[in-house]
Amino acid sequence: MSQNDARPAWEHSAGRPMTARLDGVPDIDDACRRLVELRQELTRALHEYGAVLVRGLPIRTVEDFAKVRDAVLRHRTAYREKATPRSDYGDHVFSSTDLPAAQPIRMHNENSYTLTFPGLLLFACLVAPREGGATPVADCRQVLRALPAELVTRMRKSGWMLRRSYSDHISTSWRSAFGAERREDVERYCAENLIAHQWQPDGNLRTSQLRPGIIRHPVTGDEVWFNHLAFWSEWSLDDELREALLDEFGSDGLPFNTAFGDGDPLTRAELETLQIAYQEATVREQWQTGDLLLVDNVLAAHGRDPFRGDRKIVVAMGNPIKLADCRPEVRPAAAGA
């Protein structure tokens, strides 16, 4: 066996993700070949740990990453119901986010509010930040086990509700979010995807949707906490910003807000409980140029740490999963706006 065909060195330590180190990878084509050969091994590790960091790859450009993406993902997934600013580099490669460097991004499962969502996320580091900027991941099985029984029971019975107010000024416009220019196209999408919608006098849009917050992985059968309940709760906003937005737009006009499926809002204390559960289940590793992070989007949530210096993390999504295949206990519905 040549050096280039050597098995990866697997490393796992407390507080860090499972890591596969590959040595002697001369170019991106060889990297893709080795990743194809390791696909089953990486999948087994993902099912056990939720996320795997592959270190030692010569990923330097968006084009390199696109080749790696095609070696790992069997099918691509479209970015649906867009919510945060991203740069589109073409060929279904995006920036991880374009939010300000000082702003942390809370733990979440990508597109947990859609009826079809990516099963696998790929992140790659093209430019490593000088300080901070890790992409932490949290095992959602562990999150579920750590939560109080009362909170879990409420989610099992009622699910969770997402309310969005689209605007050109304080949030994503409906044109950008839905990739559409005509109201009838948005209305058709909402009808097909169980989203209640209401056009406002100023031409903006409000939507709401009911979704299950606990589902099962379609392959492993593991039960997980899977939602944006904490991520988009009004209590997740900075206190000063929250008060300003409430004064200006009211609770119905916030860019995002969440509640349990019966309409009861999440309390500040419950948000703190959720944050603690995520924190205890989180692992992280500082980025190095060329790193590839694979995240099973059902088994693991992800976020972003604040950072200093330049940072360029690209992302691709694939292996789509239908919510109906995850044995949800709450049926998705177009909740009353």
Side-chain angles (χ1 to χ4, degrees):
M1 179 180 292
S2 69
Q3 182 182 14
N4 288 351
D5 291 322
R7 308 306 299 170
W10 290 94
E11 302 174 0
H12 191 221
S13 57
R16 294 184 173 182
M18 171 58 76
T19 299
R21 291 184 178 271
L22 294 175
D23 296 322
V25 184
D27 53 48
I28 201 65
D29 290 333
D30 189 66
C32 292
R33 178 183 65 82
R34 295 187 67 182
L35 287 169
V36 170
E37 293 172 352
L38 292 170
R39 187 182 286 161
Q40 290 186 345
E41 190 172 349
L42 290 170
T43 299
R44 286 194 296 269
L46 278 169
H47 287 168
E48 183 172 357
Y49 299 101
V52 174
L53 178 69
V54 182
R55 180 156 280 175
L57 299 175
I59 304 173
R60 299 293 182 267
T61 66
V62 169
E63 291 73 24
D64 289 343
F65 176 63
K67 289 182 179 180
V68 166
R69 183 264 325 273
D70 291 340
V72 176
L73 293 179
R74 298 181 184 275
H75 304 284
R76 302 179 188 181
T77 304
Y79 182 33
R80 304 171 186 270
E81 299 173 42
K82 299 174 184 177
T84 58
R86 299 177 188 260
S87 296
D88 186 345
Y89 298 119
D91 196 22
H92 291 89
V93 175
F94 301 89
S95 62
S96 58
T97 180
D98 292 340
L99 290 173
Q103 180 177 338
I105 298 177
R106 297 178 185 271
M107 307 304 288
H108 63 285
N109 303 86
E110 197 68 37
N111 281 159
S112 74
Y113 44 90
T114 59
L115 300 184
T116 300
F117 43 80
L120 184 61
L121 309 177
L122 269 63
F123 298 87
C125 178
L126 304 186
V127 178
R130 183 176 72 252
E131 178 183 333
T135 299
V137 290
D139 189 321
C140 293
R141 296 164 291 194
Q142 184 178 338
V143 173
L144 179 62
R145 291 193 297 266
L147 291 173
E150 180 184 357
L151 192 61
V152 172
T153 298
R154 290 178 67 190
M155 184 62 88
R156 287 192 193 281
K157 289 182 176 180
S158 68
W160 70 289
M161 190 183 303
L162 170 63
R163 299 186 180 97
R164 296 183 63 175
S165 292
Y166 301 85
S167 168
D168 293 321
H169 305 295
I170 63 167
S171 66
T172 307
S173 71
W174 60 263
R175 292 177 177 83
S176 176
F178 292 96
E181 291 296 328
R182 302 187 308 165
R183 287 190 176 192
E184 51 264 41
D185 292 334
V186 174
E187 292 166 356
R188 184 181 306 109
Y189 179 92
C190 289
E192 293 172 350
N193 289 275
L194 302 179
I195 302 172
H197 68 279
Q198 185 180 65
W199 295 103
Q200 302 302 298
D202 60 4
N204 286 321
L205 177 69
R206 291 180 182 175
T207 62
S208 61
Q209 55 221 80
L210 174 68
R211 298 294 184 257
I214 298 173
I215 63 174
R216 289 188 179 273
H217 192 280
V219 176
T220 70
D222 290 320
E223 196 172 43
V224 298
W225 183 262
F226 183 85
N227 54 75
H228 273 65
L229 180 66
F231 185 82
W232 275 327
S233 167
E234 65 178 82
W235 296 112
S236 292
L237 293 169
D238 172 82
D239 284 343
E240 186 174 342
L241 174 61
R242 174 179 172 273
E243 291 302 324
L245 290 174
L246 287 172
D247 287 344
E248 180 71 19
F249 302 105
S251 61
D252 290 339
L254 293 176
F256 304 96
N257 207 349
T258 63
F260 288 97
D262 57 10
D264 286 345
L266 190 71
T267 66
R268 186 190 288 269
E270 289 168 335
L271 173 67
E272 293 172 352
T273 297
L274 283 167
Q275 289 174 332
I276 291 171
Y278 278 121
Q279 290 168 4
E280 292 178 345
T282 294
V283 296
R284 55 169 48 79
E285 179 64 75
Q286 294 303 309
W287 284 111
Q288 295 181 14
T289 301
D291 281 351
L292 177 69
L293 178 65
L294 285 66
V295 179
D296 185 303
N297 187 42
V298 176
L299 297 179
H302 68 280
R304 189 199 68 180
D305 292 343
F307 64 94
R308 295 178 182 271
D310 293 335
R311 178 185 187 270
K312 187 173 184 180
I313 308 298
V314 289
V315 64
M317 300 177 281
N319 299 354
I321 293 175
K322 294 181 179 179
L323 176 61
D325 292 334
C326 298
R327 289 183 275 173
E329 296 183 33
V330 174
R331 296 183 63 180

